[in-house]
Amino acid sequence: MARQLDEQIVARFPVGQRLRVLDVGMGQGTQALRLARAGHQVTGLEQDATMVAAARESLAGEPEGIRERMRIIEGDGRDTGVHFLPGSFDVVLCHGVLMYVEEPDPLLAGLARMLAHGGLLSLLVRNGDALAIRPGLSGDWSGALAAFDTTAYRNRLGLDVRADRLKDLTSTLAGIGAPLHAWYGVRVFTDSAADGAEAPADVDTLLAVEEKAGRTDPYRGVAALLHLCGVRG
């Protein structure tokens, strides 16, 4: 996904431009730190205190120049208007968040308002059109059959969450003024790997296969996750 995001950033912004990045639901700060290391000015917004603490600990171990380029705010991604002015960012990330939000449209509209004209909105969501793949490949036939007619599922943490369909999000992005510009599949072949499984010796080849599948039909359409990139018009 990082490669996909970098591809979109390079295509939209001049090389060397220091971008203003907002990472909503940043978790432990993996993407936020990566972009700060690349020279961008990054703000991470996260409501989970444990994740905030982990991100701050990671940031504390970075060189001073990187620490100065990144700030961390503890707060709810649905309250971006409380923390920031409209148009304050060139890039807004919201990765792995929508599945925990029962009504995502207000959140998405708020994220779009944070973007400057021509800004990039990057979403990572559970693919509602492929929910039957995981139970089907594991031999859970009743679970696979039920998954065709729902966007609700139980994740590996045991939480009841929701998925999004590409068609619905395409319509939503158009309605909030950040129409879909590009989309990719993420974890096409590796979603069935066991939690904690060791990376194979030829991990570079694995990544190359996943990256190729993630941008190739029909493979990307059955990926476990979708990476959608909208552009503020």
Side-chain angles (χ1 to χ4, degrees):
M1 187 190 65
R3 296 181 185 183
Q4 298 163 357
L5 179 60
D6 289 346
E7 176 182 80
Q8 291 299 315
I9 288 175
V10 168
R12 296 214 61 79
F13 302 101
V15 175
Q17 179 178 342
R18 178 175 289 189
L19 301 174
R20 302 163 299 166
V21 180
L22 173 63
D23 189 353
V24 174
M26 69 169 183
Q28 60 187 6
T30 301
Q31 285 297 325
L33 272 172
R34 187 182 73 84
L35 292 169
R37 292 179 188 128
H40 303 301
Q41 196 73 36
V42 182
T43 300
L45 182 64
E46 172 60 52
Q47 68 173 347
D48 186 285
T50 301
M51 291 292 187
V52 169
R56 286 178 172 155
E57 182 178 356
S58 296
L59 182 61
E62 295 290 329
E64 182 180 356
I66 295 175
R67 295 199 306 271
E68 291 175 348
R69 288 197 295 272
M70 182 170 167
R71 62 172 173 160
I72 297 171
I73 298 174
E74 187 171 346
D76 193 314
R78 290 168 290 193
D79 297 331
T80 50
V82 173
H83 300 287
F84 317 109
L85 294 174
S88 295
F89 298 95
D90 304 299
V91 178
V92 173
L93 314 180
C94 185
H95 297 164
V97 174
L98 291 194
M99 56 273 290
Y100 299 104
V101 180
E102 187 174 348
E103 296 291 341
D105 286 5
L107 168 63
L108 290 172
L111 299 184
R113 284 193 293 272
M114 294 301 103
L115 284 170
H117 182 78
L120 179 69
L121 176 61
S122 174
L123 306 175
L124 184 70
V125 304
R126 187 73 164 92
N127 184 5
D129 292 320
L131 287 182
I133 296 291
R134 184 184 293 174
L137 291 177
S138 67
D140 177 7
W141 307 120
S142 60
L145 188 61
F148 284 105
D149 300 315
T150 184
T151 54
Y153 70 103
R154 177 162 292 181
N155 66 14
R156 286 175 170 171
L157 298 175
L159 301 175
D160 292 321
V161 288
R162 49 172 295 283
D164 289 282
R165 300 188 187 278
L166 177 63
K167 180 180 178 181
D168 295 335
L169 277 179
T170 299
S171 177
T172 298
L173 290 173
I176 62 176
L180 184 66
H181 176 73
W183 69 278
Y184 309 85
V186 176
R187 283 167 47 185
V188 177
F189 299 116
T190 57
D191 185 57
S192 59
D195 291 340
E198 292 187 7
D202 57 345
V203 65
D204 289 339
T205 305
L206 180 153
L207 292 174
V209 169
E210 280 285 349
E211 185 176 11
K212 180 70 172 180
R215 62 181 69 236
T216 304
D217 291 323
Y219 304 103
R220 63 177 180 165
V222 296
L225 303 168
L226 297 180
H227 180 198
L228 290 80
C229 298
V231 174
R232 182 70 171 172

